[in-house]
Amino acid sequence: MKKITALFLLFGLMVSAQNNRVIYEYTFRPDSSKTDSLKTEWMYLDISKNGSKYYSKKAFENDSIVAESIKKQMASGSRNIAVSRQRNGIEISYEVEKLYPGYQTFLTASIGNDSYKVAEDRTPVWKIQPEKKKIGEFMAQKAVTDFAGRSWEAWFTPDVPIQDGPYKFSGLPGLIVSVADRSGSHSIELKGLKKITQTSSTEVDTQGRDLPFTRRKPIEVNRKQYAQKLKQYENDPVQGMRELLARPNSKVKINMNGKEISDPAEILRTMERNAREEIARNNNKIELEP
């Protein structure tokens, strides 16, 4: 009884409080050719009165470390800024933002050394089904939709009257507690709810310096333009870095998995090899039709 009472108290906080965090476990198969390639990443859906933001816990922590390192170097007056790129198991680098009350949705993702904010022009069209079941402490109801090239099955709980959910999913009469595509490649399940303070930004003032691997203001594009950028990157994954290194007096030093590299030609070779290997390993993205 105490557990149930605590849950309903938490539901009240979710509805009335300024900032709340929904914690999801995202399980996915990045390589469709390998059935044993399942990976897991903890994802946050931070909800405020103005909207929500969905992002990776590990990516946020890593960005915070990089931002703090750059701030310290710039404060010391260093002319050459060393940027360390350590993946540390990070698989998800994108973010999804929704603006209330209209639920306008934006994807923020990096392609090479550029960041893009993509306005989503599609909305999941749900068909609510009669099936109900208990998921954890929640009584949930089934809904299905086709979105971005995949068929999805979701379970939502009217007990939490927030019409939001992980990734770009929203619009059901209750919080989405579970959503999975029918191929079994992507599955997102709620694991916790908590009240939080305002999330800090990981953006850093580079004082006009163009530093690789740093969070910067994204370029706003529509979905068609973003798809074209993705295609260009697949054809030439180091185009942006090549242009950066070609600038006069450009000096870049990077740390790739513990190895420090400063020679421009070696930087390009290493980055292109790593990029093409990563593209090959990630052929089963959450959106088959971006």
Side-chain angles (χ1 to χ4, degrees):
M1 179 64 70
K2 288 183 178 180
K3 192 171 184 179
I4 294 175
T5 302
L7 276 172
F8 277 100
L9 177 61
L10 182 56
F11 296 160
L13 290 173
M14 287 289 295
V15 174
S16 62
Q18 288 268 352
N19 298 291
N20 301 276
R21 175 167 291 163
V22 186
I23 303 169
Y24 289 98
E25 183 181 44
Y26 176 30
T27 304
F28 57 101
R29 181 177 292 112
D31 189 342
S32 61
S33 66
K34 296 182 179 179
T35 57
D36 61 347
S37 67
L38 279 178
K39 296 186 177 182
T40 299
E41 189 132 354
W42 290 97
M43 305 294 295
Y44 289 159
L45 177 69
D46 288 353
I47 297 173
S48 71
K49 65 177 181 179
N50 297 319
S52 67
K53 185 169 75 169
Y54 177 75
Y55 60 99
S56 160
K57 173 181 181 290
K58 284 184 179 179
F60 176 77
E61 292 172 345
N62 185 74
D63 287 347
S64 298
I65 292 172
V66 171
E68 188 61 29
S69 173
I70 293 174
K71 287 178 183 177
K72 289 181 178 179
Q73 292 179 70
M74 298 192 76
S76 70
S78 176
R79 297 186 63 184
N80 295 321
I81 306 297
V83 181
S84 177
R85 188 196 194 196
Q86 301 287 345
R87 292 193 62 86
N88 295 325
I90 298 171
E91 299 292 338
I92 307 300
S93 58
Y94 59 73
E95 297 178 354
V96 176
E97 181 181 11
K98 305 186 190 86
L99 302 181
Y100 300 161
Y103 286 84
Q104 296 98 328
T105 301
F106 301 89
L107 169 73
T108 299
S110 295
I111 302 178
N113 199 39
D114 291 317
S115 178
Y116 296 91
K117 184 175 182 179
V118 190
E120 179 57 71
D121 56 1
R122 301 165 295 184
T123 302
V125 178
W126 297 101
K127 295 180 181 178
I128 297 178
Q129 308 295 303
E131 294 98 320
K132 296 181 180 181
K133 69 177 180 180
K134 196 171 185 181
I135 300 179
E137 295 296 326
F138 303 95
M139 182 55 66
Q141 186 168 354
K142 182 179 177 181
V144 296
T145 190
D146 291 330
F147 183 77
R150 292 187 184 275
S151 295
W152 295 90
E153 176 181 294
W155 293 85
F156 66 95
T157 177
D159 293 334
V160 184
I162 297 174
Q163 298 181 19
D164 211 336
Y167 195 59
K168 298 179 180 179
F169 300 112
S170 63
L172 285 167
L175 181 69
I176 296 174
V177 298
S178 176
V179 60
D181 84 305
R182 292 180 183 173
S183 74
S185 295
H186 299 267
S187 176
I188 311 172
E189 187 170 341
L190 185 148
K191 293 297 182 182
L193 304 167
K194 63 184 293 187
K195 186 177 179 180
I196 61 169
T197 57
Q198 184 67 41
T199 301
S200 299
S201 172
T202 55
E203 291 187 11
V204 60
D205 181 7
T206 61
Q207 299 177 15
R209 304 189 197 187
D210 195 357
L211 302 178
F213 313 136
T214 55
R215 180 177 291 271
R216 63 195 65 193
K217 185 176 180 180
I219 303 166
E220 296 188 10
V221 296
N222 59 39
R223 190 165 58 88
K224 182 177 180 181
Q225 292 169 328
Y226 178 68
Q228 292 173 342
K229 293 292 183 181
L230 278 175
K231 192 66 176 178
Q232 291 174 7
Y233 176 75
E234 291 172 356
N235 293 333
D236 185 4
V238 294
Q239 178 183 348
M241 180 57 73
R242 186 183 297 108
E243 293 172 353
L244 173 60
L245 292 172
R247 295 177 183 176
N249 301 317
S250 177
K251 293 182 180 180
V252 174
K253 183 188 295 183
I254 65 173
N255 187 309
M256 297 289 285
N257 300 318
K259 181 182 178 182
E260 194 171 89
I261 305 172
S262 59
D263 176 64
E266 187 177 359
I267 288 175
L268 290 175
R269 285 196 301 270
T270 302
M271 290 187 65
E272 180 166 12
R273 182 180 66 250
N274 289 353
R276 293 201 180 281
E277 289 175 354
E278 186 171 344
I279 290 171
R281 288 193 304 265
N282 291 275
N283 57 61
N284 193 30
K285 296 180 180 180
I286 192 169
E287 292 191 20
L288 296 177
E289 299 173 1

